[in-house]
Structure formats: structure tokens, C-alpha cells
Amino acid sequence: MSRVLIPFPDLQPLALEVGSRLQARVAPVGWRRFPDGESLLTLDARLNAVDVVLVAGLRNVDSVALALRFVAETARDLGARSVGLVAPYLPYMRQDTRFHPGEAISAPIFARFLEQSVDWLVTVDPHLHRNPRLDGLFSIPTRHVAAAAAMAAWVQANVPDAILIGPDSESAQWVGDIAARAQVPFQVLAKIREGDRSVRVSLPDPVAARGRTPVVVDDIVSSGHTMIETLKHLATLGLPPATCLVTHAVFSEDAYERLLAAGARRVVSTDTIPHPACNAIAMAPALAVACEALLAGRTPSLAAP
Ligand code: R5P
């Protein structure tokens, strides 16, 4: 078999499903921590002339990045002809400018780190804001898998009377796409700045939302602040409790519990970041299709002449 899938520990079910769809041999990586905290990575040595697909959850990227680099370099060292990466959640994309003097602009630096490690990249809905396209950030082949079709199917099956609500103008791109596919209406909250430290959000047309079930859609929930402010506002309008629908369930600290405490009817996410309660939308099928496209081009290894 000329394809080998190497799953990192934290995304096993998704990785195994991608591996099965790619008809790849699955070769788990041994990862041992020495008492001093350094890692020893051990790969299946039978990688000569194969196409390697790494599948890694990068939710806790600072603790995984170096291991990822070690594994990619070692695969190449063992003879792999190409090494690709499936990172369903691409971190550091929100730090795409210098918000305060002296800050690192992490997005392009992290992109360079990845492209120095692997030959191609597949990810789900990266947070593209000031860098509007993935291929403007990366010089290696990339595929941006959109979660919109799978999220729309979930809405149609579970909340057919939904009105989708985007918490800010940035969300308009994916909320509008999901709403069109699910054939339900949508609105995007307007932000009204009342002072340096005070922002009020408002639903543009509350009357049109009456009689429908609100579903708040965002690409990332991290602290939960954006969703919680939205939930609070919808409650003041007398709308029924909203479902929160999110692509990447980053959930810093107790964000998930705070969403429920703020009145969310339910929190639903894709499985790009594992979460025991809210992963309801599987991305492996779409990820496997994207990998097939890149493997068909059989990108040569970085080490090849
Ligand atoms: C912002 O640009 C993103 O689309 C999300 O709205 C944001 O990252 C959510 O962050 P938090 O949950 O910390 O408010």
C-alpha cells in the first residue's frame, strides 16, 4: 500500500475514518515523554516510497508543534515520497496583524513553520480575515474544506424552522452560505460602539425573527464571549433559547458550560476539535475528498531534488 496515515493521539476517530476512506495503512506514532519533558517520537519504519498523511489536532498547538515537525522530518528521513498534513483546526489564524506594538504576527509565521514541515495542507474553514485566502498565506498546496454543506444539512435535519444569526460582520460570509444551503433566513448582528469600552449589539430586524428558532453561527468559540453577548441580546428580544452552532469548538476553560449557563438551548459543533458533548457534524468525508485531490497530484517531498 503506498499510503500511510499517521494519526496524532487526540483526533483518533476522525483520523481513522479519513484513513479508511483513503485506503491508507494506519501507522500510529509512539510518543514517549522523558522525565525532563522532552519527547521521543517513534514511527513505523516502513515508510519508504509511500505518501504519508499526518492527521493532527492543533487545538493545543504549542504542545504539539515540535512533535509534528519531528514526525514529518522523520517520515521523510525514512523515505516517504511526500508528507501531507490534515489539521482540521488551523490555529493562530486570528493573530493576523499587530494589534499592539511589538506583538508577533503569528499567522504568517505559523504558516511558514508548517510549510517548512510538510508538502501539503488540508484544513477546515481557517479563520481568514485580513489574509483572505489560504494560498495567499501558504506557498505549499492547500485545500480549504468548507463546513457549510455539512452544517446546513444539520440545520435542515434538526432545526427546520431556524433563523441563523451571525454575531458580527465577519461571520456574514459563513452564516449567509449555510443559510442559503439550508434554505432558511439569516441576519447578522450590528455592533454599535457607544464609547471606548462599551459595544451594543442589535438584531437588525427582530420582527422577522419572531416565530423562528434562533441558531447562532460562528466559526470559532474560544472564550465564549461573542456567543454569550449574542445570547443575552436575543433573550432581551423575547426570542426562544438559541442553539449555538460552531465550526471549531475551541472552548477555552469553561466556555462550554458558560454558554449553557447563558441560556443556550444546545451547543453543536463539527468534530474538528474533539468535545464529548457537542461534536455532531463529521468532517472526515470532506477531508478525505480534499486529501484525494492533493494525493492525486502526489506532491514531491521537500527533500526530493
Ligand atoms: C472572531 O473573529 C471569530 O469569528 C469569533 O467570533 C471569535 O474568535 C470568538 O471568540 P470568543 O469566543 O473568544 O468571543
Side-chain angles (χ1 to χ4, degrees), residues 25-27 44 52 117 132 157-158 177 247 257 289 305:
R25 176 165 64 83
V26 174
D44 181 325
V52 167
S117 305
N158 294 279
D177 189 11
T247 311
E257 289 73 19
V289 170

Side-chain angles (χ1 to χ4, degrees), residues 94 127 167-168 170 174 218-227:
R94 287 176 293 171
H127 186 84
D168 54 31
E170 267 177 58
W174 45 85
D218 209 349
D219 65 333
I220 293 173
V221 171
S222 181
S223 69
H225 182 77
T226 306
M227 278 277 183

Side-chain angles (χ1 to χ4, degrees), residues 223-239:
S223 69
H225 182 77
T226 306
M227 278 277 183
I228 288 170
E229 286 306 305
T230 305
L231 291 172
K232 280 188 199 161
H233 176 64
L234 297 180
T236 66
L237 300 175
L239 295 175

